[in-house]
Amino acid sequence: KKSVENQSLENIHLLIGTTTLVIGLIGVLVPLIPTTPLILISGYFFSKSSPRIHHWLSAHKTFGPIL
């Protein structure tokens, strides 16, 4: 069973990952927002938020080799 602190930290990582992903996707349309670094940052925080997401990103045929 996960501790409250561990669950809170995972939720914070998930929130940061989601926020940077959304901003990165907005950056596709807005020229002043850098897309690639924000997408990479979101991948980092998503992988820290859940072992399942970490495994999915690592095993992904497109993203896995890059990460």
PDB file of all heavy atoms in Angstrom, residues 35-37 39-41 43-44 47 54-67:
ATOM      1  N   THR A  35       7.783  23.733 -28.145  1.00  0.00           N
ATOM      2  CA  THR A  35       7.015  22.494 -28.043  1.00  0.00           C
ATOM      3  C   THR A  35       7.856  21.327 -27.540  1.00  0.00           C
ATOM      4  O   THR A  35       7.492  20.652 -26.574  1.00  0.00           O
ATOM      5  CB  THR A  35       6.410  22.145 -29.416  1.00  0.00           C
ATOM      6  OG1 THR A  35       5.580  23.219 -29.829  1.00  0.00           O
ATOM      7  CG2 THR A  35       5.598  20.881 -29.356  1.00  0.00           C
ATOM      8  N   THR A  36       8.977  21.067 -28.171  1.00  0.00           N
ATOM      9  CA  THR A  36       9.761  19.867 -27.876  1.00  0.00           C
ATOM     10  C   THR A  36      10.226  19.777 -26.425  1.00  0.00           C
ATOM     11  O   THR A  36      10.044  18.733 -25.784  1.00  0.00           O
ATOM     12  CB  THR A  36      10.949  19.758 -28.845  1.00  0.00           C
ATOM     13  OG1 THR A  36      10.456  19.788 -30.178  1.00  0.00           O
ATOM     14  CG2 THR A  36      11.730  18.492 -28.608  1.00  0.00           C
ATOM     15  N   PRO A  37      10.830  20.831 -25.857  1.00  0.00           N
ATOM     16  CA  PRO A  37      11.259  20.701 -24.458  1.00  0.00           C
ATOM     17  C   PRO A  37      10.095  20.438 -23.498  1.00  0.00           C
ATOM     18  O   PRO A  37      10.240  19.665 -22.551  1.00  0.00           O
ATOM     19  CB  PRO A  37      11.911  22.045 -24.141  1.00  0.00           C
ATOM     20  CG  PRO A  37      12.241  22.643 -25.440  1.00  0.00           C
ATOM     21  CD  PRO A  37      11.246  22.107 -26.417  1.00  0.00           C
ATOM     22  N   ILE A  39       7.267  18.855 -24.170  1.00  0.00           N
ATOM     23  CA  ILE A  39       6.821  17.470 -24.343  1.00  0.00           C
ATOM     24  C   ILE A  39       7.794  16.516 -23.638  1.00  0.00           C
ATOM     25  O   ILE A  39       7.381  15.550 -23.001  1.00  0.00           O
ATOM     26  CB  ILE A  39       6.684  17.118 -25.837  1.00  0.00           C
ATOM     27  CG1 ILE A  39       5.671  18.035 -26.527  1.00  0.00           C
ATOM     28  CG2 ILE A  39       6.322  15.656 -26.023  1.00  0.00           C
ATOM     29  CD1 ILE A  39       4.266  17.930 -26.017  1.00  0.00           C
ATOM     30  N   LEU A  40       9.094  16.785 -23.742  1.00  0.00           N
ATOM     31  CA  LEU A  40      10.080  15.947 -23.052  1.00  0.00           C
ATOM     32  C   LEU A  40       9.934  16.053 -21.532  1.00  0.00           C
ATOM     33  O   LEU A  40      10.032  15.046 -20.815  1.00  0.00           O
ATOM     34  CB  LEU A  40      11.491  16.338 -23.474  1.00  0.00           C
ATOM     35  CG  LEU A  40      11.866  15.984 -24.905  1.00  0.00           C
ATOM     36  CD1 LEU A  40      13.225  16.576 -25.256  1.00  0.00           C
ATOM     37  CD2 LEU A  40      11.857  14.483 -25.107  1.00  0.00           C
ATOM     38  N   ILE A  41       9.690  17.256 -21.039  1.00  0.00           N
ATOM     39  CA  ILE A  41       9.487  17.448 -19.599  1.00  0.00           C
ATOM     40  C   ILE A  41       8.237  16.705 -19.141  1.00  0.00           C
ATOM     41  O   ILE A  41       8.229  16.058 -18.089  1.00  0.00           O
ATOM     42  CB  ILE A  41       9.412  18.949 -19.253  1.00  0.00           C
ATOM     43  CG1 ILE A  41      10.781  19.600 -19.446  1.00  0.00           C
ATOM     44  CG2 ILE A  41       8.900  19.166 -17.833  1.00  0.00           C
ATOM     45  CD1 ILE A  41      10.761  21.110 -19.391  1.00  0.00           C
ATOM     46  N   GLY A  43       6.967  14.029 -20.459  1.00  0.00           N
ATOM     47  CA  GLY A  43       7.295  12.606 -20.431  1.00  0.00           C
ATOM     48  C   GLY A  43       8.046  12.216 -19.169  1.00  0.00           C
ATOM     49  O   GLY A  43       7.798  11.163 -18.582  1.00  0.00           O
ATOM     50  N   TYR A  44       8.965  13.065 -18.743  1.00  0.00           N
ATOM     51  CA  TYR A  44       9.709  12.818 -17.503  1.00  0.00           C
ATOM     52  C   TYR A  44       8.764  12.743 -16.309  1.00  0.00           C
ATOM     53  O   TYR A  44       8.810  11.808 -15.511  1.00  0.00           O
ATOM     54  CB  TYR A  44      10.759  13.913 -17.289  1.00  0.00           C
ATOM     55  CG  TYR A  44      11.405  13.853 -15.935  1.00  0.00           C
ATOM     56  CD1 TYR A  44      12.405  12.926 -15.673  1.00  0.00           C
ATOM     57  CD2 TYR A  44      11.013  14.701 -14.911  1.00  0.00           C
ATOM     58  CE1 TYR A  44      13.001  12.844 -14.416  1.00  0.00           C
ATOM     59  CE2 TYR A  44      11.597  14.629 -13.666  1.00  0.00           C
ATOM     60  CZ  TYR A  44      12.589  13.704 -13.422  1.00  0.00           C
ATOM     61  OH  TYR A  44      13.163  13.632 -12.181  1.00  0.00           O
ATOM     62  N   SER A  47       6.485   9.705 -16.350  1.00  0.00           N
ATOM     63  CA  SER A  47       7.178   8.470 -15.973  1.00  0.00           C
ATOM     64  C   SER A  47       7.402   8.395 -14.471  1.00  0.00           C
ATOM     65  O   SER A  47       7.457   7.312 -13.897  1.00  0.00           O
ATOM     66  CB  SER A  47       8.503   8.344 -16.719  1.00  0.00           C
ATOM     67  OG  SER A  47       9.445   9.263 -16.255  1.00  0.00           O
ATOM     68  N   HIS A  54       5.520   4.757 -17.015  1.00  0.00           N
ATOM     69  CA  HIS A  54       6.951   4.653 -17.288  1.00  0.00           C
ATOM     70  C   HIS A  54       7.221   3.470 -18.219  1.00  0.00           C
ATOM     71  O   HIS A  54       7.966   3.595 -19.196  1.00  0.00           O
ATOM     72  CB  HIS A  54       7.729   4.505 -15.994  1.00  0.00           C
ATOM     73  CG  HIS A  54       9.194   4.293 -16.200  1.00  0.00           C
ATOM     74  ND1 HIS A  54      10.032   5.298 -16.623  1.00  0.00           N
ATOM     75  CD2 HIS A  54       9.963   3.197 -16.075  1.00  0.00           C
ATOM     76  CE1 HIS A  54      11.257   4.830 -16.746  1.00  0.00           C
ATOM     77  NE2 HIS A  54      11.238   3.539 -16.414  1.00  0.00           N
ATOM     78  N   HIS A  55       6.611   2.335 -17.934  1.00  0.00           N
ATOM     79  CA  HIS A  55       6.805   1.156 -18.785  1.00  0.00           C
ATOM     80  C   HIS A  55       6.249   1.400 -20.189  1.00  0.00           C
ATOM     81  O   HIS A  55       6.861   1.033 -21.183  1.00  0.00           O
ATOM     82  CB  HIS A  55       6.145  -0.073 -18.156  1.00  0.00           C
ATOM     83  CG  HIS A  55       6.210  -1.281 -19.029  1.00  0.00           C
ATOM     84  ND1 HIS A  55       7.400  -1.938 -19.272  1.00  0.00           N
ATOM     85  CD2 HIS A  55       5.265  -1.926 -19.733  1.00  0.00           C
ATOM     86  CE1 HIS A  55       7.167  -2.944 -20.089  1.00  0.00           C
ATOM     87  NE2 HIS A  55       5.872  -2.961 -20.381  1.00  0.00           N
ATOM     88  N   TRP A  56       5.077   2.027 -20.273  1.00  0.00           N
ATOM     89  CA  TRP A  56       4.474   2.295 -21.575  1.00  0.00           C
ATOM     90  C   TRP A  56       5.370   3.210 -22.412  1.00  0.00           C
ATOM     91  O   TRP A  56       5.577   2.958 -23.594  1.00  0.00           O
ATOM     92  CB  TRP A  56       3.089   2.921 -21.401  1.00  0.00           C
ATOM     93  CG  TRP A  56       2.434   3.241 -22.701  1.00  0.00           C
ATOM     94  CD1 TRP A  56       1.774   2.386 -23.523  1.00  0.00           C
ATOM     95  CD2 TRP A  56       2.397   4.521 -23.349  1.00  0.00           C
ATOM     96  NE1 TRP A  56       1.328   3.050 -24.637  1.00  0.00           N
ATOM     97  CE2 TRP A  56       1.696   4.363 -24.562  1.00  0.00           C
ATOM     98  CE3 TRP A  56       2.882   5.784 -23.021  1.00  0.00           C
ATOM     99  CZ2 TRP A  56       1.464   5.414 -25.438  1.00  0.00           C
ATOM    100  CZ3 TRP A  56       2.657   6.820 -23.894  1.00  0.00           C
ATOM    101  CH2 TRP A  56       1.959   6.632 -25.081  1.00  0.00           C
ATOM    102  N   LEU A  57       5.899   4.263 -21.796  1.00  0.00           N
ATOM    103  CA  LEU A  57       6.781   5.173 -22.525  1.00  0.00           C
ATOM    104  C   LEU A  57       8.072   4.473 -22.951  1.00  0.00           C
ATOM    105  O   LEU A  57       8.552   4.663 -24.063  1.00  0.00           O
ATOM    106  CB  LEU A  57       7.121   6.396 -21.670  1.00  0.00           C
ATOM    107  CG  LEU A  57       6.031   7.450 -21.521  1.00  0.00           C
ATOM    108  CD1 LEU A  57       6.447   8.483 -20.478  1.00  0.00           C
ATOM    109  CD2 LEU A  57       5.740   8.123 -22.833  1.00  0.00           C
ATOM    110  N   SER A  58       8.633   3.654 -22.074  1.00  0.00           N
ATOM    111  CA  SER A  58       9.878   2.956 -22.392  1.00  0.00           C
ATOM    112  C   SER A  58       9.693   1.928 -23.498  1.00  0.00           C
ATOM    113  O   SER A  58      10.595   1.719 -24.312  1.00  0.00           O
ATOM    114  CB  SER A  58      10.424   2.263 -21.151  1.00  0.00           C
ATOM    115  OG  SER A  58      10.708   3.191 -20.155  1.00  0.00           O
ATOM    116  N   ALA A  59       8.544   1.269 -23.537  1.00  0.00           N
ATOM    117  CA  ALA A  59       8.295   0.225 -24.521  1.00  0.00           C
ATOM    118  C   ALA A  59       7.675   0.747 -25.805  1.00  0.00           C
ATOM    119  O   ALA A  59       7.528  -0.015 -26.772  1.00  0.00           O
ATOM    120  CB  ALA A  59       7.388  -0.837 -23.905  1.00  0.00           C
ATOM    121  N   HIS A  60       7.326   2.021 -25.855  1.00  0.00           N
ATOM    122  CA  HIS A  60       6.676   2.586 -27.044  1.00  0.00           C
ATOM    123  C   HIS A  60       7.620   2.534 -28.231  1.00  0.00           C
ATOM    124  O   HIS A  60       8.808   2.841 -28.107  1.00  0.00           O
ATOM    125  CB  HIS A  60       6.251   4.034 -26.753  1.00  0.00           C
ATOM    126  CG  HIS A  60       5.282   4.571 -27.747  1.00  0.00           C
ATOM    127  ND1 HIS A  60       5.662   5.132 -28.930  1.00  0.00           N
ATOM    128  CD2 HIS A  60       3.931   4.601 -27.713  1.00  0.00           C
ATOM    129  CE1 HIS A  60       4.601   5.522 -29.591  1.00  0.00           C
ATOM    130  NE2 HIS A  60       3.513   5.208 -28.872  1.00  0.00           N
ATOM    131  N   LYS A  61       7.103   2.147 -29.401  1.00  0.00           N
ATOM    132  CA  LYS A  61       7.976   1.979 -30.563  1.00  0.00           C
ATOM    133  C   LYS A  61       8.553   3.294 -31.070  1.00  0.00           C
ATOM    134  O   LYS A  61       9.638   3.310 -31.630  1.00  0.00           O
ATOM    135  CB  LYS A  61       7.250   1.254 -31.686  1.00  0.00           C
ATOM    136  CG  LYS A  61       6.132   2.022 -32.317  1.00  0.00           C
ATOM    137  CD  LYS A  61       5.518   1.253 -33.475  1.00  0.00           C
ATOM    138  CE  LYS A  61       4.484   2.107 -34.170  1.00  0.00           C
ATOM    139  NZ  LYS A  61       3.945   1.447 -35.346  1.00  0.00           N
ATOM    140  N   THR A  62       7.870   4.407 -30.851  1.00  0.00           N
ATOM    141  CA  THR A  62       8.378   5.706 -31.297  1.00  0.00           C
ATOM    142  C   THR A  62       9.172   6.422 -30.210  1.00  0.00           C
ATOM    143  O   THR A  62      10.263   6.893 -30.427  1.00  0.00           O
ATOM    144  CB  THR A  62       7.218   6.610 -31.759  1.00  0.00           C
ATOM    145  OG1 THR A  62       6.501   5.934 -32.798  1.00  0.00           O
ATOM    146  CG2 THR A  62       7.734   7.939 -32.286  1.00  0.00           C
ATOM    147  N   PHE A  63       8.597   6.498 -29.015  1.00  0.00           N
ATOM    148  CA  PHE A  63       9.196   7.280 -27.946  1.00  0.00           C
ATOM    149  C   PHE A  63      10.274   6.525 -27.174  1.00  0.00           C
ATOM    150  O   PHE A  63      11.218   7.127 -26.662  1.00  0.00           O
ATOM    151  CB  PHE A  63       8.126   7.760 -26.963  1.00  0.00           C
ATOM    152  CG  PHE A  63       7.041   8.550 -27.612  1.00  0.00           C
ATOM    153  CD1 PHE A  63       5.717   8.178 -27.440  1.00  0.00           C
ATOM    154  CD2 PHE A  63       7.317   9.643 -28.397  1.00  0.00           C
ATOM    155  CE1 PHE A  63       4.687   8.886 -28.035  1.00  0.00           C
ATOM    156  CE2 PHE A  63       6.303  10.361 -29.000  1.00  0.00           C
ATOM    157  CZ  PHE A  63       4.997   9.987 -28.833  1.00  0.00           C
ATOM    158  N   GLY A  64      10.138   5.216 -27.060  1.00  0.00           N
ATOM    159  CA  GLY A  64      11.075   4.410 -26.275  1.00  0.00           C
ATOM    160  C   GLY A  64      12.536   4.579 -26.653  1.00  0.00           C
ATOM    161  O   GLY A  64      13.362   4.860 -25.792  1.00  0.00           O
ATOM    162  N   PRO A  65      12.890   4.414 -27.947  1.00  0.00           N
ATOM    163  CA  PRO A  65      14.296   4.544 -28.311  1.00  0.00           C
ATOM    164  C   PRO A  65      14.867   5.960 -28.064  1.00  0.00           C
ATOM    165  O   PRO A  65      16.031   6.106 -27.730  1.00  0.00           O
ATOM    166  CB  PRO A  65      14.317   4.232 -29.807  1.00  0.00           C
ATOM    167  CG  PRO A  65      13.092   3.418 -30.043  1.00  0.00           C
ATOM    168  CD  PRO A  65      12.081   3.915 -29.043  1.00  0.00           C
ATOM    169  N   ILE A  66      14.031   6.972 -28.182  1.00  0.00           N
ATOM    170  CA  ILE A  66      14.484   8.348 -27.984  1.00  0.00           C
ATOM    171  C   ILE A  66      14.763   8.602 -26.509  1.00  0.00           C
ATOM    172  O   ILE A  66      15.740   9.255 -26.155  1.00  0.00           O
ATOM    173  CB  ILE A  66      13.442   9.350 -28.508  1.00  0.00           C
ATOM    174  CG1 ILE A  66      13.268   9.185 -30.011  1.00  0.00           C
ATOM    175  CG2 ILE A  66      13.824  10.774 -28.163  1.00  0.00           C
ATOM    176  CD1 ILE A  66      12.080   9.931 -30.580  1.00  0.00           C
ATOM    177  N   LEU A  67      13.895   8.058 -25.650  1.00  0.00           N
ATOM    178  CA  LEU A  67      14.040   8.292 -24.212  1.00  0.00           C
ATOM    179  C   LEU A  67      15.150   7.442 -23.640  1.00  0.00           C
ATOM    180  O   LEU A  67      15.802   7.761 -22.724  1.00  0.00           O
ATOM    181  CB  LEU A  67      12.721   7.997 -23.487  1.00  0.00           C
ATOM    182  CG  LEU A  67      11.550   8.881 -23.914  1.00  0.00           C
ATOM    183  CD1 LEU A  67      10.278   8.409 -23.227  1.00  0.00           C
ATOM    184  CD2 LEU A  67      11.806  10.326 -23.544  1.00  0.00           C
TER     185      LEU A  67
END
